[in-house]
């Protein structure tokens, strides 16, 4: 089995025994399933268990392994294992003594484990979570594409695209079993593809695979990428299957106030930049004023962009809320990056669940969002960007998709129907699938 690894202190590296008080009910706990995800910062293994468990965790070298000994817990008859991912090369299980179970995670390289127990929450029962951090490995950069064609010195606008949920958090589940996390990732990837195809814009994906990222970390990653906009993609759910339509949310005043209080309370934030002004050497009153100015500008930009995106979504059909909504979502709390959350449709609605899974509809959703973002930045381009250098909205095309009408296309791009007709020399409303329409720029204003 090799030698146990020892930290520099010489004390055997044995994780502290974590335990929850055993239930008064008779019968041993069961290990029902193992789920594994590989993320950019660590590999996560989640054991679904029937109740509180007692366990010990330690690591071994030659070869690298993480060993978990479950006391008084056995594998359930319907135990579901997981395919190895990330740093996990293989998973082995076996009985140990009377009523105990040993699980061995064979690793491809040395890793630092962190484990904790979770009580039941929403659709999840009791869980044991083991996060494995590769030793000495830095987190990979956020997935991105850079436009090599930009040679004139004007920078690209950066849009951070966040696929909601992920990993052990499936989000809402549709009537046919579709997980929200699958839909959001598919739409996020399509949104990135379309943004990267636009002149003067590029996208970064907050997550590009099926893994979990804490909510606060999502907008922190957007700030690290120096994003001009953060868009979080979700699919709504309600207890009545008839609920339908898209919605767009921005941060509420209450959420902004609580985030400002946190920023001002945490000393490490004073070394950051908010609105281009360092808070590090300012007293509390001036720091609060500077932060308020930055947040106010961010919230105004967020609402304007969200309104442009909502107008684009209206071109796809019914929206759930006709106006931009405000809510205290954690992912929207960045004080200096305009942010919005798009509820693309109701996954709890059988018809909308089917559309959300359709690749063509995902393309139309992404196009509506891109159109709104493009229109906003065409009218209010940040200085130094390619958009600012154009002096007017860039020329663009729209490829007609099945079921689209000329009026819907005009609404999506926020231009008068008459302007669209004139630009394409169309007298009626008839358009053909696959036809390329010129979208006239309306200029800044």
């Amino acid at each position: 089995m090799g030698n146990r690894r020892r930290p520099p202190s010489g004390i055997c590296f044995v994780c502290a025994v974590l335990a929850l008080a055993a239930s008064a009910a008779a019968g041993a706990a069961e290990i029902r399933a193992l789920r594994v995800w590989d993320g950019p910062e660590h590999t996560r293994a989640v054991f679904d268990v029937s109740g509180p468990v007692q366990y010990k965790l330690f690591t071994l070298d030659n070869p690298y392994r993480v060993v978990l000994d479950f006391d008084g817990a056995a594998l359930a008859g319907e135990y579901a294992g997981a395919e190895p991912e990330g740093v996990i090369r293989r998973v082995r299980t076996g009985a140990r003594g009377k009523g105990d179970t040993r699980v061995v995670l064979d690793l491809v390289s040395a890793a630092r484990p962190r484990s904790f127990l979770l009580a039941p929450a929403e659709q999840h029962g009791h869980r044991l979570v083991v996060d494995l951090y590769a030793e000495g490995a830095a987190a990979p950069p956020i997935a991105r594409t850079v436009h090599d064609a930009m040679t004139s010195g004007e920078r690209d606008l950066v849009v951070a695209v966040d696929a909601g949920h992920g990993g052990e958090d499936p989000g809402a589940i549709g009537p046919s079993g579709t997980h929200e996390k699958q839909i959001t990732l598919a739409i996020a990837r399509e949104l990135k593809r379309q943004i990267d195809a636009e002149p003067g814009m590029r996208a970064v994906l907050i997550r590009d695979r099926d893994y979990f990222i804490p909510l606060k970390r999502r907008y922190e990653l957007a700030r690290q990428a120096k994003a001009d906009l953060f868009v979080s993609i979700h699919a709504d759910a309600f207890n009545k299957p008839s609920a339908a339509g898209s919605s767009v949310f921005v941060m509420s005043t209450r959420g902004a106030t609580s985030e400002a209080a946190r920023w001002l309370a945490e000393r490490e934030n004073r070394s950051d930049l908010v609105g281009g002004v360092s808070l590090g050497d300012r007293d509390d009153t001036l720091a609060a004023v500077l932060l308020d100015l930055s947040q106010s500008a961010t919230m105004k930009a967020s609402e304007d962009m969200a309104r442009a995106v909502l107008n684009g979504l209206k071109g796809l059909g019914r929206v759930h809320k006709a106006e931009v909504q405000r809510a205290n979502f954690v992912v929207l709390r960045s004080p200096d990056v305009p942010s919005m959350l798009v509820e693309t449709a109701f996954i709890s609605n059988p018809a909308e669940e089917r559309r959300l899974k359709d690749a063509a509809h995902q393309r139309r959703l992404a196009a509506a969002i891109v159109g709104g973002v493009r229109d906003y930045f065409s009218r209010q381009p940040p200085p130094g960007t390619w958009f600012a250098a154009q002096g007017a909205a860039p020329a663009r095309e729209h490829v007609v998709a099945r079921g689209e009408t000329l009026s819907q296309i005009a609404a999506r791009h926020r231009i008068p129907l008459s302007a669209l007709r004139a630009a394409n020399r169309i007298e009626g409303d008839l358009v053909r699938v696959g036809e390329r329409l010129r979208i006239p720029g309306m200029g800044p204003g």
Side-chain angles (χ1 to χ4, degrees):
M1 293 290 287
N3 298 320
R4 294 179 183 243
R5 297 167 56 208
R6 297 178 180 273
S9 63
I11 301 174
C12 182
F13 184 81
V14 178
C15 289
V17 178
L18 298 179
L20 292 176
S23 173
E30 288 185 327
I31 306 168
R32 293 174 171 169
L34 169 63
R35 296 173 284 130
V36 176
W37 293 273
D38 181 33
E41 297 175 339
H42 61 268
T43 300
R44 170 164 286 189
V46 180
F47 293 90
D48 293 313
V49 293
S50 62
V53 294
Q54 294 183 339
Y55 71 98
K56 296 178 183 178
L57 183 152
F58 58 90
T59 62
L60 297 171
D61 287 345
N62 303 319
Y64 297 114
R65 286 151 288 165
V66 171
V67 181
L68 294 109
D69 285 337
F70 290 86
D71 297 334
L75 294 179
E78 68 280 7
Y79 169 78
E83 291 296 321
E85 288 191 40
V87 75
I88 299 176
R89 178 172 58 85
R90 183 175 59 173
V91 180
R92 293 179 287 141
T93 61
R96 179 176 175 271
K98 294 185 178 180
D100 300 336
T101 298
R102 169 166 287 187
V103 178
V104 180
L105 305 178
D106 293 324
L107 309 180
V108 297
S109 60
R112 294 176 291 105
R114 173 176 173 264
S115 63
F116 52 93
L117 291 160
L118 292 176
E122 297 182 353
Q123 73 269 30
H124 298 293
H126 291 273
R127 287 151 290 159
L128 166 63
V129 179
V130 180
D131 287 336
L132 301 170
Y133 296 83
E135 291 191 347
I142 301 174
R144 66 182 65 197
T145 298
V146 179
H147 285 170
D148 295 329
M150 297 293 117
T151 58
S152 59
E154 294 90 18
R155 71 173 182 86
D156 284 342
L157 288 162
V158 179
V159 181
V161 182
D162 171 43
H165 307 281
E168 69 268 30
D169 175 17
I173 300 176
S176 71
T178 307
H179 288 182
E180 182 182 359
K181 67 175 184 177
Q182 300 166 335
I183 296 298
T184 61
L185 183 56
I187 295 173
R189 286 171 171 167
E190 175 61 23
L191 185 54
K192 173 178 167 55
R193 186 190 69 80
Q194 293 192 25
I195 289 173
D196 288 343
E198 289 281 329
M201 284 198 287
R202 64 180 173 88
V204 297
L205 288 177
I206 298 300
R207 73 173 177 95
D208 59 354
R209 285 168 291 155
D210 184 18
Y211 53 81
F212 177 76
I213 300 178
L215 297 177
K216 181 171 173 285
R217 181 63 176 155
R218 294 176 188 244
Y219 75 73
E220 288 175 345
L221 288 170
R223 295 189 70 248
Q224 289 176 15
K226 301 186 183 304
D228 296 277
L229 172 65
F230 174 87
V231 182
S232 189
I233 304 297
H234 288 258
D236 218 336
F238 194 59
N239 54 16
K240 292 183 178 180
S242 58
S246 306
S247 303
V248 182
F249 290 82
V250 296
M251 174 51 55
S252 67
T253 304
R254 174 169 164 261
T257 301
S258 62
E259 185 65 11
R262 186 184 70 80
W263 266 66
L264 293 170
E266 294 180 3
R267 304 304 300 179
E268 61 267 24
N269 286 323
R270 300 304 181 89
S271 64
D272 208 336
L273 292 175
V274 177
V277 181
S278 172
L279 300 184
D281 57 352
R282 312 290 178 171
D283 62 33
D284 286 351
T285 301
L286 183 54
V289 171
L290 293 173
L291 182 58
D292 181 67
L293 290 172
S294 177
Q295 275 193 320
S296 297
T298 299
M299 292 177 70
K300 175 64 167 60
S302 298
E303 186 163 1
D304 289 347
M305 273 189 269
R307 189 177 297 112
V309 168
L310 182 61
N311 285 338
L313 291 170
K314 288 177 180 177
L316 293 182
R318 175 181 177 181
V319 293
H320 186 64
K321 297 289 186 180
E323 301 296 332
V324 172
Q325 304 298 295
R326 293 187 175 276
N328 190 16
F329 292 126
V330 173
V331 292
L332 299 179
R333 290 184 182 178
S334 178
D336 53 354
V337 179
S339 304
M340 73 180 79
L341 185 147
V342 179
E343 297 281 8
T344 53
F346 277 79
I347 198 172
S348 54
N349 180 307
E352 293 204 335
E353 179 192 21
R354 287 192 297 272
R355 282 197 292 271
L356 286 172
K357 294 191 295 182
D358 179 65
H361 185 69
Q362 292 172 1
R363 289 193 294 271
R364 289 192 290 270
L365 277 170
I369 296 171
V370 172
V373 172
R374 182 203 306 115
D375 287 350
Y376 172 83
F377 281 127
S378 296
R379 289 162 174 76
Q380 301 190 51
T385 62
W386 182 88
F387 273 71
Q390 305 311 300
R396 55 195 190 273
E397 286 187 338
H398 178 93
V399 180
V400 179
R402 187 177 302 278
E404 286 187 317
T405 66
L406 202 62
S407 59
Q408 287 176 334
I409 296 170
R412 180 178 311 160
H413 292 282
R414 298 183 66 202
I415 59 173
L417 180 58
S418 58
L420 183 60
R421 284 194 179 118
N424 294 277
R425 298 181 179 180
I426 297 174
E427 294 184 359
D429 291 321
L430 183 63
V431 286
R432 299 185 304 275
V433 174
E435 184 178 355
R436 292 182 177 274
L437 300 180
R438 182 176 178 274
I439 306 300
M442 302 302 291

